[in-house]
Amino acid sequence: MRLYNSLGRRIEDFEPATDNVVKLYSCGPTVYSFAHIGNLRAYTFADTLRRALLWKGWQVEHVINITDVGHAVAEAELGDDKIELAAARERRSVEEIAEMYTQAFFADLDALNILPAHHYPRATQYVDAMIAFAERLADRGFAYEIPSGLYFDTSKDPGYGRLGLVDVGGQLEGARVEQVPGRRAKTDFALWRAEAPGQIRAMRWDSPWGWGAPGWHLECSVMSMKLLGEHFDIHTGGVDHRQLHHVNEIAQSEAYLGDGRPWVRFWLHNEFLQLGAAKMAKSAGPVLTLQELQKQGFHPLAYRMFLLGGHYRAQLEFTTDGLAGAQATLRRLIRRTAALGRLPSVGTLGEARALASDDSAAVAVIDQLDQAISADLNTPRVLAVLQESLRDAVLSEHGQRVVTAASGAVLGLPFDRLEPADVEPAAEQLSQSDQAVVDELIAEREAARTARDWARADALRAELSELGVQLTDTPTGPVWSRITP
Ligand SMILES: [Zn+2]
């Protein structure tokens, strides 16, 4: 398995450190609103990574944290607490807000066929451990206290910023960094956010540094170590975490451990989803949620298919046409699968090879799938291999079943658990992408006719007719029209 490690910015061979079990931590949501589809890319990516590791025959222990302590915004130490603001806006308690959006988050993960994490630690349940962690940092001289709380002293960490390639002296000077009175360096960050005089937070805890709340970065260090051990294999998150949140997690964790070893060996980051030209952020106006896509007639797994059509380290431009195209591709694969009958249960490369053993062509395709997913999770290539192998008709039916099941396992797309009707396009959604699918089917049928494969040509005509397309063969080639209901 080859993975791109943000620490060092290069592709490296991956093996778990111990026991054949990969310990994986993914930064989770702050639960004050519905996740927008850009946020969901991070969890789909982490799930793809997890499925690839399982495919290689390892076990995985996965943690996704739930940030139910509201923090202002990622970069800000001061200012209003977002969960408290949401509670005030929606006239609910902070606990109700956090619970409601946590459940909504789980529903999104389920709809995207994301394997449940083994642990979903809530930050509010680890505050004592966070205070103990911060006390040890203070005891070791890595922290100082100012009126707004306890701050990590980044000047004490000679390796500070390595992950983010942060130019401590220069880059951050120009960035939009808030002024915190008494803070010694702009890179120093809050371990504990003390209440301002007269302020009483809705969520507050007593600490050696007064009443207040833990810093945002602290929770991931503390909860990951509690659940996965002091050192673990892989930490994931959106690429926006690479410059700050993960830099700070590393600084405080390595100061806390003090053993001279890297805290986590592999750091993997997914790129953004672009909507129009702007990065999708919760603060940038109306949010596009998975539920909203469903209202527009899209299946949640069409969105998963759309994401898998791009490499996780490439920015992806979200368009309705692109999503409709992904849904049309998914629909075709579901139809093909339905014609194959029941798929075997396949989870790993070893199982797939064993099941395909009588069919050397299928073994070769399985190996191509493996090479693609092992090359830093090249999901577009996995999809291409699957589609080519079904199109070329070189595989036996059994071989096609094994290849389809193996691809489904790697991609997290349960082709045989879906009906074509689940992914029918809504009328208003017929688009250029559907046109492209029709063109492709017609071209395939022409190829089958040229090869005098009449059964296949008939099957493709039937498939077109299911799409509402009527085909007429003329001396100059086929023409088609849409069957009007
Ligand atoms: Zn985190």
Side-chain angles (χ1 to χ4, degrees), residues 62-95:
H62 193 190
V63 176
I64 300 177
N65 67 300
I66 303 290
T67 300
D68 58 353
V69 176
H71 302 290
V73 287
E75 293 81 14
E77 311 287 3
L78 312 176
D80 294 320
D81 174 309
K82 289 207 168 179
I83 292 181
E84 290 187 18
L85 285 179
R89 186 179 65 234
E90 300 185 24
R91 296 177 192 279
R92 296 166 192 259
S93 72
V94 285
E95 289 80 10

Side-chain angles (χ1 to χ4, degrees), residues 25 27 65 220 235 245-246 249:
Y25 184 90
C27 286
N65 67 300
C220 287
H235 197 310
H245 178 49
H246 289 169
E249 280 189 44

Side-chain angles (χ1 to χ4, degrees), residues 25 27-30 65-77 123 130 189-193 213-223 240-241 244-246 248-249 252:
Y25 184 90
C27 286
T30 302
N65 67 300
I66 303 290
T67 300
D68 58 353
V69 176
H71 302 290
V73 287
E75 293 81 14
E77 311 287 3
M130 292 183 219
F189 56 90
L191 297 165
W192 189 262
R193 298 173 299 137
W216 172 45
H217 313 298
L218 196 55
E219 69 178 74
C220 287
S221 290
V222 168
M223 296 192 291
D240 49 335
H241 289 338
L244 188 83
H245 178 49
H246 289 169
N248 291 346
E249 280 189 44
Q252 67 197 4

Side-chain angles (χ1 to χ4, degrees), residues 459-478:
L460 286 160
R461 177 194 280 277
E463 202 170 320
L464 282 160
S465 133
E466 275 181 63
L467 287 171
V469 168
Q470 182 168 20
L471 206 58
T472 313
D473 290 306
T474 73
T476 52

